[in-house]
Amino acid sequence: GDVSHEFDEYGYCLCGEWDSVQYWFDIYTVEDLYDFARRVNVGNVKLNARLMNDIVINENVLDSAGNLNEGTFKSWTPIKLYRGVFDGNNHVIKGVYIPAGGNKMGFISSLSDGKVSNLGIEDSYMRSYSYGRAGGISGDLWSASIVNSYYIGVVSCNGYRVGGIASWSEYNSAISNCYFVGKLIDEDGNKAASVCPSKDGTSIIENCYAMSFSEPADSDLYRSFKSGKIAFLLQKGQIEHVWGQKLGVDPLPVLGGDALFPIACTSESIDNYSNILDTNLVHNLDNHCVCTTCGYRDTTCVIKHVYDHCVCIYCGLVSHEFENCYCRNCALQDTTCTEHI
């Protein structure tokens, strides 16, 4: 009665079964990206994917004010329903152009029981003629998450919900460590910049930031983006290096960009960051090597994990102590054990 599958390079077994968990669709080119979307839209909704390069679909879609430039652009057909994991791998997709989307519109129309992470979408334009929802990365979220991602561009919807990352978040969904810079338009005109304007009580939107293309250059919000403060806050507390910004070069936070360090241990200043670490600066570090004042993480100190049911309350690290096939702390069964019955 044992079953053993031998999957080919596309994740299919000779018996016809498809391995949606172990198989990853690697995206290197524009053609790969469109092939991935086609596969999902014909039914492989759990197809996991990751970007291996920056992808440029179109160039110069928007001008400096966020207006649509004249010209002919290659259109993107939104991924209708997605239940897999899309790992942007700290890469960027540029020039996503949707001139006439449906009632749920975005790079992904509906993200359900899935996840998008480490993805940037830039210089993009999305417009829906239907009455509905529109979001830069996903039209809506259902038991899904978008983390460490951003959208720079225009989202226009002839409807009642429009957001820079998503328009609606429901059923234990989460949007975290994300930002939006651009223009939101609905049937009543321009909307205030927002990562996600609507959510139910079970969903979480945390550590996210939004700014309009028309934000005054002398405003605190504009200066926070330019000075590195937003990039520092997006990275704050994370163990892996995700967010950075080369000050004086990058006007906005960059995935995998130059690391930022506080030049003073305070949470008040806007212009408080540098790309150079001051080794003489003293921080108030907690058990997880994070400064309780400014949020700086000291990667040279030793993390002191504090576990609750085998999960560290600081970083989420899972550590089990198995004895006779079961964890003595949380009773999880060790399914890899072959010595006990």
Side-chain angles (χ1 to χ4, degrees):
D2 289 345
V3 177
S4 178
H5 297 284
E6 293 185 7
F7 295 102
D8 63 18
E9 61 179 315
Y10 300 105
Y12 286 93
C13 179
L14 293 176
C15 69
E17 185 170 332
W18 179 63
D19 184 2
S20 63
V21 177
Q22 297 184 25
Y23 175 65
W24 283 83
F25 188 95
D26 290 339
I27 299 171
Y28 291 90
T29 66
V30 173
E31 291 73 22
D32 290 342
L33 182 63
Y34 277 72
D35 187 25
F36 162 72
R38 179 191 61 79
R39 290 168 182 248
V40 175
N41 283 339
V42 298
N44 291 338
V45 296
K46 293 184 178 181
L47 177 58
N48 296 331
R50 57 193 166 205
L51 290 184
M52 307 304 289
N53 293 313
D54 291 344
I55 303 293
V56 180
I57 302 174
N58 297 289
E59 294 183 289
N60 300 318
V61 174
L62 303 174
D63 63 20
S64 58
N67 300 310
L68 182 65
N69 281 320
E70 294 183 359
T72 302
F73 302 111
K74 181 180 178 67
S75 296
W76 172 257
T77 299
I79 297 168
K80 298 175 185 177
L81 172 65
Y82 189 54
R83 298 183 184 273
V85 176
F86 191 98
D87 182 3
N89 207 15
N90 286 356
H91 288 296
V92 176
I93 300 174
K94 296 183 179 180
V96 177
Y97 175 68
I98 307 174
N103 62 345
K104 288 184 181 179
M105 185 198 64
F107 175 70
I108 300 169
S109 292
S110 186
L111 184 63
S112 178
D113 298 305
K115 180 179 181 180
V116 173
S117 64
N118 302 82
L119 172 67
I121 297 180
E122 300 178 0
D123 188 30
S124 295
Y125 177 89
M126 302 178 182
R127 184 181 182 188
S128 171
Y129 285 112
S130 301
Y131 187 82
R133 306 172 179 177
I137 292 181
S138 180
D140 58 26
L141 275 66
W142 294 73
S143 299
S145 63
I146 300 176
V147 300
N148 289 323
S149 300
Y150 68 89
Y151 179 89
I152 302 174
V154 174
V155 183
S156 177
C157 178
N158 181 26
Y160 61 104
R161 292 196 183 109
V162 56
I165 298 295
S167 71
W168 179 254
S169 178
E170 298 181 88
Y171 297 108
N172 299 303
S173 293
I175 302 175
S176 61
N177 305 331
C178 295
Y179 79 85
F180 160 72
V181 173
K183 183 190 296 184
L184 301 179
I185 306 170
D186 72 0
E187 59 186 3
D188 297 323
N190 290 355
K191 301 279 287 186
S194 170
V195 167
C196 181
S198 302
K199 71 179 185 70
D200 67 8
T202 63
S203 295
I204 298 173
I205 300 175
E206 59 184 1
N207 198 31
C208 294
Y209 307 90
M211 180 175 70
S212 170
F213 278 142
S214 59
E215 183 71 24
D218 60 350
S219 71
D220 285 350
L221 179 59
Y222 183 93
R223 290 172 56 213
S224 293
F225 269 96
K226 187 176 181 180
S227 70
K229 179 177 182 178
I230 299 300
F232 182 84
L233 293 175
L234 288 167
Q235 175 62 37
K236 184 176 179 179
Q238 299 194 68
I239 296 176
E240 298 295 330
H241 175 68
V242 181
W243 294 100
Q245 188 172 351
K246 189 172 184 179
L247 300 179
V249 177
D250 300 326
L252 296 170
V254 176
L255 288 167
D258 289 22
L260 289 158
F261 307 98
I263 59 177
C265 191
T266 173
S267 59
E268 301 301 324
S269 175
I270 292 175
D271 305 310
N272 191 37
Y273 306 95
S274 170
N275 292 128
I276 301 174
L277 173 63
D278 181 357
T279 56
N280 296 317
L281 194 61
V282 178
H283 296 280
N284 303 310
L285 301 178
D286 62 13
N287 286 344
H288 209 209
C289 301
V290 176
C291 178
T292 58
T293 302
C294 69
Y296 164 68
R297 175 182 288 281
D298 185 351
T299 58
T300 65
C301 87
V302 178
I303 295 175
K304 300 174 183 176
H305 297 288
V306 177
Y307 292 100
D308 180 13
H309 291 84
C310 300
V311 179
C312 178
I313 62 175
Y314 293 109
C315 68
L317 178 71
V318 178
S319 178
H320 297 287
E321 295 181 16
F322 289 108
E323 181 180 5
N324 295 334
C325 297
Y326 289 90
C327 175
R328 66 178 66 186
N329 297 318
C330 70
L332 178 74
Q333 182 180 7
D334 180 6
T335 58
T336 65
C337 179
T338 59
E339 299 179 2
H340 302 89
I341 299 176

